[in-house]
Amino acid sequence: MLHSAPLHLSGQSGLGKSTLVNTLFKSQVSRKSSGWNREEKIPKTVEIKAIGHVIEEGGVKMKLTVIDTPGFGDQINNENCWEPIEKYINEQYEKFLKEEVNIARKKRIPDTRVHCCLYFISPTGHSLRPLDLEFMKHLSKVVNIIPVIAKADTMTLEEKTEFKQRVRKELEVNGIEFYPQKEFDEDLEDKTENDKIRQESMPFAVVGSDKEYQVNGKRILGRKTPWGVIEVENLNHCEFALLRDFVIRTHLQDLKEVTHNIHYETYRAKRLNDNGGLPPVTTETEENHESNL
Amino acid sequence: MGQPRIQEPWGSSPGCQRCITGSRLGWFGHKEPRIWGTLHGTDSSTDLPTRGLSVPAGQRKCPASGEAQGLAETRPRMETLCGEQRTLLGDKEYVGFATLPNQLHRKSVKKGFDFTLMVAGESGLGKSTLIDSLFLTDLYKDRTLLDAQARIPQTLVIERRAVELEEGGVRVKLTVVDTPGFGDAVDNADCWGSIVDYIDQQFEQFFRDESGLNRKNITDGRVHCCLYFLSPFGHGLRPLDVAFLRAVQHKVNIVPVIGRADALTPREVGAMKEKIRQELEENAISIYQFPDCDSDEDEEFKAQDAELKRSIPFAVVGSNDIVRETKEKAFRGRTYPWGAVEVENPAHCDFLKLRTMLVRTHMHDLKEVTQEIHYENYRAQCIQSLSRVGARDRASRMKLSRQSATELPLLPLETEKLIREKDEELRRMQEMLQKMQAQMQQSQGEQSDAL
């Protein structure tokens, strides 16, 4: 059975998005991860790059699509730089919707909808930037956003805790609901578990690395600096393991469900409303209809 | 009293500084000092040795560091004779102007020094921490950080913080010009405009003071150096960096610095520096250039100087917290679960290099370049536009002065007004003189008539 899960990464360039995805793959499964080509120049407009990987573990195959957004937030004027991303997400919903209302629709509709968006926050130690707020405000309405503090090896433990508190407070004050959203907790068990994650661990402070070093006789992923080796999977060093478990091991299915039941339904309802309660009819379906006759 | 540094008043290259005794000590530690000559006829107020003997470095104190082994860089340029030679010639060949550096030094120390440093860059790159670490102050202890919501409507403000530092009897009035809010907004178009205006305003103020009647107590508010912080999280220069640097490169000495360098491994630091140097060249941005060492310096000194030049931009980490647990000796640094970064360890970051360059060797050179190049450029531009205005005025007296003002956006309106006022005054005085002359002639005429 092939699961598919698009994962979307957003944030300014240089925050380690590509490295983190590599780390996610390497730390989990066989060494079949592909290398990413780092962009040499900052692109002029925000680009959307989608790359698909098929990974396997314990007989379960998963098609993971990672969507990167180089160029986000890098220009001098970043007004509306989230629009291409919002447009892309809506396009995927549109595609799915068209397939759904198709007369001769496929048994298994290829799901290219974005299930999760990892937003990378720059570890300034001060607070969120206005750009971060704007992006998350606009996109938390259409996709599950998981805020992540990137390159967290530049903050000491106290700075990390303080920064996280400030970020959480700011998100709350601005009414930004990040995943797991409070309103979608189904039962008490979910609620307590998610509350704990929401109030203590998130946003996850991560460090990514695709290089291995020898520490205490074991080969581990990490970053080697003159003052020590930062172990990526060591919970004392950073929260990468928490993020990985959260996204892939425990909440993957939930992410897909929330996307399908809530975000997609919101989009569908809006589209139907705009169309006067009728499903959108396009030339594509008419052609299919004609060919079927 | 320690022996502070003075600038050679004659002949030497800019940036050449020496201790009063003329001895030379190494960059990062002390060497065997070589006394090139001592000054006879010292007075009791300054502790200068009266013989040309080498004094062990331990006994000498360098004012900038306050440590017994001075870390002062000195490049002696002793044109006068050295001690032994002088005693051979005897007193008849010795006039005594070799004490001039001594006198100059005393006057300078009494007057005190001033230095204006601007820090610019996005927030969160460790600017304030670095300033506090560099000068061992707590200028930024009481500031409050704004959250993102509060930052949205804010335009760029320029903040000035002044502190008087003293070390070994030498007083320095340090002014730090901060630019909070730079690059923080969603739309950062022309956010550097107010910074450029500020620099120009300081030049203009100095220009007016210099051309004024009372020039005794001019306060020099010109910016001597701009530390521009680049983000360690990027892939080189960002469009905003390029735009800002282009706007200020000909107005102030730019020293680019990579902030929060503990986010990078040594290899990443090297790659980033290379990239930045390349991009600076591609965009034709002129940053502050270190003056070359004199050719007769020894090899070690030249090697250290070359290494310093290779390390630009400096990758720095700042901290004023003292770490005591890990090593026997307490040091300033940042502790992480995986180790501790030492701020003053050259293998960890370039903090020492930056401090050496900024404070111990090139502080005066930065001021000189500001005075001789940037300020002169501004002044030349100003005067050129003034003379254009003057010529036009003379050509068309009937025209409204407002017109000429709008044609020259370069010229600040106030200077123009001042010049015009002075012109008016001169004219009035001339008329008065003419009247008086006429009166005198009349009275003379009457007198001669009467006679």
Side-chain angles (χ1 to χ4, degrees):
Chain A
M1 226 166 67
L2 198 73
H3 298 268
S4 83
L7 189 76
H8 186 119
L9 309 167
S10 264
Q12 276 183 315
S13 68
L15 284 179
K17 303 190 289 293
S18 322
T19 313
L20 188 76
V21 174
N22 257 350
T23 321
L24 266 175
F25 292 155
K26 271 203 166 146
S27 82
Q28 174 170 319
V29 291
S30 60
R31 314 280 127 170
K32 271 209 217 121
S33 52
S34 61
W36 289 68
N37 286 328
R38 181 155 268 158
E39 273 296 292
E40 287 307 324
K41 290 242 180 305
I42 294 174
K44 287 278 180 275
T45 54
V46 182
E47 294 173 358
I48 313 270
K49 286 172 142 186
I51 303 178
H53 297 264
V54 178
I55 50 178
E56 184 179 335
E57 191 184 54
V60 177
K61 267 202 221 150
M62 184 161 91
K63 176 168 179 271
L64 193 62
T65 312
V66 180
I67 302 152
D68 200 354
T69 52
F72 175 83
D74 284 329
Q75 303 305 316
I76 295 178
N77 183 354
N78 293 310
E79 287 272 320
N80 302 325
C81 63
W82 53 83
E83 275 177 7
I85 300 170
E86 206 176 336
K87 193 162 137 250
Y88 178 82
I89 294 174
N90 285 333
E91 271 171 13
Q92 306 312 308
Y93 288 152
E94 184 68 27
K95 242 196 257 181
F96 195 84
L97 182 64
K98 287 217 180 78
E99 283 297 329
E100 235 189 7
V101 303
N102 209 345
I103 294 174
R105 65 183 180 189
K106 308 190 180 97
K107 215 156 141 202
R108 173 162 242 100
I109 302 174
D111 191 357
T112 55
R113 298 171 297 183
V114 177
H115 296 140
C116 161
C117 174
L118 289 181
Y119 186 74
F120 284 66
I121 298 172
S122 187
T124 58
H126 293 182
S127 64
L128 286 178
R129 310 172 69 213
L131 178 64
D132 300 337
L133 278 182
E134 285 300 308
F135 178 89
M136 287 200 269
K137 255 194 213 156
H138 282 93
L139 271 113
S140 55
K141 302 193 185 90
V142 295
V143 72
N144 297 321
I145 292 198
I146 297 182
V148 160
I149 299 176
K151 297 209 171 172
D153 54 341
T154 178
M155 291 198 287
T156 61
L157 280 175
E158 306 92 49
E159 289 170 357
K160 229 188 278 193
T161 332
E162 269 178 41
F163 185 54
K164 276 207 221 187
Q165 267 177 358
R166 247 178 271 145
V167 168
R168 274 196 293 263
K169 198 167 131 233
E170 272 192 299
L171 290 174
E172 197 182 309
V173 162
N174 284 285
I176 296 173
E177 278 276 358
F178 53 86
Y179 180 85
Q181 295 94 333
K182 279 193 207 121
E183 45 187 337
F184 308 139
D185 283 335
E186 283 168 352
D187 49 30
L188 195 63
E189 193 192 314
D190 270 352
K191 191 171 180 316
T192 42
E193 188 195 325
N194 284 342
D195 264 347
K196 186 166 175 297
I197 296 175
R198 269 194 296 265
Q199 275 142 29
E200 288 173 18
S201 335
M202 284 184 86
F204 298 113
V206 296
V207 175
S209 170
D210 45 10
K211 296 199 176 55
E212 286 183 342
Y213 293 98
Q214 195 89 1
V215 170
N216 292 336
K218 279 201 310 178
R219 283 197 73 79
I220 52 106
L221 285 169
R223 283 171 66 73
K224 185 148 191 231
T225 60
W227 47 92
V229 177
I230 304 159
E231 298 168 40
V232 165
E233 286 175 294
N234 183 338
L235 279 173
N236 292 328
H237 289 190
C238 77
E239 292 161 4
F240 169 76
L242 285 182
L243 173 71
R244 179 198 59 205
D245 294 346
F246 181 74
V247 173
I248 296 179
R249 288 182 196 172
T250 50
H251 285 72
L252 185 65
Q253 192 56 31
D254 188 50
L255 280 166
K256 292 173 73 167
E257 277 178 17
V258 172
T259 310
H260 181 73
N261 294 333
I262 294 162
H263 295 297
Y264 172 65
E265 287 302 312
T266 316
Y267 178 81
R268 186 170 167 277
K270 192 165 142 299
R271 282 289 272 128
L272 260 49
N273 260 337
D274 289 343
N275 232 31
L278 295 170
V281 172
T282 61
T283 48
E284 226 178 293
T285 50
E286 282 180 352
E287 274 170 36
N288 282 341
H289 185 65
E290 282 168 31
S291 61
N292 280 343
L293 288 173
Chain B
M1 185 169 128
Q3 282 117 26
R5 219 172 291 123
I6 52 149
Q7 178 70 15
E8 271 284 357
W10 58 89
S12 55
S13 56
C16 162
Q17 288 157 325
R18 55 184 270 207
C19 256
I20 194 65
T21 56
S23 74
R24 214 258 296 304
L25 308 162
W27 286 78
F28 302 115
H30 75 278
K31 291 169 53 158
E32 262 318 302
R34 290 191 302 218
I35 301 265
W36 286 57
T38 53
L39 310 156
H40 281 255
T42 59
D43 46 348
S44 50
S45 62
T46 62
D47 302 322
L48 290 175
T50 53
R51 286 247 156 54
L53 299 168
S54 72
V55 178
Q59 291 177 15
R60 211 169 299 112
K61 257 196 171 160
C62 186
S65 66
E67 298 158 36
Q69 65 249 44
L71 292 174
E73 295 63 31
T74 52
R75 271 164 277 185
R77 188 130 317 271
M78 204 50 164
E79 318 283 323
T80 58
L81 306 165
C82 81
E84 285 91 20
Q85 285 177 307
R86 209 178 291 123
T87 47
L88 282 174
L89 290 165
D91 272 324
K92 25 188 165 145
E93 301 275 333
Y94 178 65
V95 178
F97 55 76
T99 58
L100 270 170
N102 191 5
Q103 301 172 28
L104 189 68
H105 141 241
R106 252 186 306 150
K107 275 199 185 283
S108 318
V109 167
K110 266 200 215 148
K111 204 170 78 170
F113 300 88
D114 63 1
F115 191 73
T116 307
L117 178 68
M118 174 182 270
V119 282
E122 283 180 348
S123 68
L125 290 177
K127 301 191 291 289
S128 324
T129 315
L130 187 74
I131 295 293
D132 281 345
S133 315
L134 264 179
F135 299 104
L136 293 176
T137 61
D138 52 5
L139 277 176
Y140 289 94
K141 201 169 56 172
D142 301 323
R143 68 167 180 170
T144 50
L145 296 169
L146 295 174
D147 63 15
Q149 196 62 39
R151 276 193 267 164
I152 287 176
Q154 213 190 38
T155 51
L156 188 73
V157 286
I158 308 270
E159 281 180 6
R160 285 167 55 136
R161 288 181 169 82
V163 68
E164 291 253 348
L165 302 170
E166 193 194 314
E167 207 177 51
V170 179
R171 280 175 300 119
V172 169
K173 175 161 174 271
L174 173 74
T175 312
V176 177
V177 180
D178 205 354
T179 55
F182 178 81
D184 275 345
V186 177
D187 179 2
N188 292 312
D190 205 32
C191 64
W192 55 87
S194 33
I195 301 179
V196 173
D197 284 342
Y198 177 82
I199 299 176
D200 276 341
Q201 263 169 35
Q202 300 307 309
F203 279 154
E204 196 214 313
Q205 179 71 42
F206 194 78
F207 181 50
R208 282 172 57 187
D209 288 345
E210 231 190 14
S211 330
L213 289 170
N214 187 356
R215 299 199 293 180
K216 280 212 189 107
N217 293 316
I218 307 181
T219 46
D220 184 5
R222 296 171 296 182
V223 178
H224 298 126
C225 173
C226 175
L227 279 185
Y228 187 68
F229 280 69
L230 297 164
S231 172
F233 308 127
H235 296 297
L237 293 180
R238 293 215 179 113
L240 179 62
D241 300 333
V242 172
F244 174 79
L245 291 174
R246 276 223 186 106
V248 294
Q249 58 178 324
H250 297 303
K251 295 186 187 284
V252 73
N253 296 317
I254 300 176
V255 176
V257 149
I258 301 176
R260 299 191 88 157
D262 54 350
L264 302 169
T265 62
R267 206 169 49 89
E268 290 167 351
V269 168
M272 179 149 227
K273 284 190 185 184
E274 190 55 53
K275 189 110 199 289
I276 291 177
R277 275 197 290 260
Q278 207 186 1
E279 286 180 348
L280 284 173
E281 229 181 272
E282 274 171 23
N283 288 292
I285 293 173
S286 53
I287 57 176
Y288 172 68
Q289 297 295 334
F290 291 88
D292 290 323
C293 318
D294 308 307
S295 51
D296 61 345
E297 301 291 354
D298 69 6
E299 283 310 312
E300 192 189 325
F301 193 79
K302 276 197 203 163
Q304 281 168 343
D305 195 47
E307 196 194 312
L308 197 78
K309 288 197 181 136
R310 267 199 305 269
S311 311
I312 300 223
F314 297 117
V316 293
V317 177
S319 171
N320 259 344
D321 300 324
I322 301 184
V323 176
R324 281 177 222 277
E325 314 104 37
T326 44
K327 277 195 183 168
E328 324 80 36
K329 202 178 80 155
F331 58 87
R332 284 191 296 152
R334 291 168 63 75
T335 26
Y336 294 109
W338 47 87
V341 184
E342 293 172 50
V343 164
E344 290 177 357
N345 183 337
H348 288 190
C349 72
D350 293 335
F351 175 81
L352 274 186
K353 291 203 186 108
L354 175 67
R355 183 176 65 182
T356 308
M357 173 245 138
L358 191 64
V359 179
R360 295 179 189 183
T361 46
H362 292 82
M363 199 176 232
H364 199 99
D365 186 51
L366 285 165
K367 288 179 73 169
E368 255 192 26
V369 173
T370 309
Q371 163 77 27
E372 287 171 14
I373 298 177
H374 300 299
Y375 174 67
E376 289 299 314
N377 277 342
Y378 174 84
R379 196 167 161 272
Q381 267 181 355
C382 221
I383 292 183
Q384 247 183 8
S385 25
L386 270 181
S387 58
R388 257 185 273 147
V389 169
R392 251 185 239 139
D393 266 352
R394 268 178 259 121
S396 50
R397 282 273 157 94
M398 289 299 127
K399 270 205 193 145
L400 288 170
S401 59
R402 203 171 273 274
Q403 274 186 340
S404 44
T406 50
E407 279 162 25
L408 297 163
L410 273 178
L411 192 63
L413 287 170
E414 298 143 287
T415 334
E416 206 195 276
K417 236 187 277 171
L418 212 73
I419 306 272
R420 241 177 284 129
E421 278 169 46
K422 296 235 161 89
D423 264 333
E424 280 296 316
E425 240 184 274
L426 271 167
R427 237 177 284 143
R428 260 181 271 136
M429 283 170 65
Q430 274 179 345
E431 281 170 31
M432 266 174 61
L433 262 170
Q434 281 177 347
K435 257 189 245 167
M436 281 167 63
Q437 272 179 350
Q439 274 181 358
M440 274 173 60
Q441 278 178 352
Q442 257 189 357
S443 57
Q444 271 181 355
E446 284 167 22
Q447 276 187 353
S448 60
D449 280 342
L451 286 172

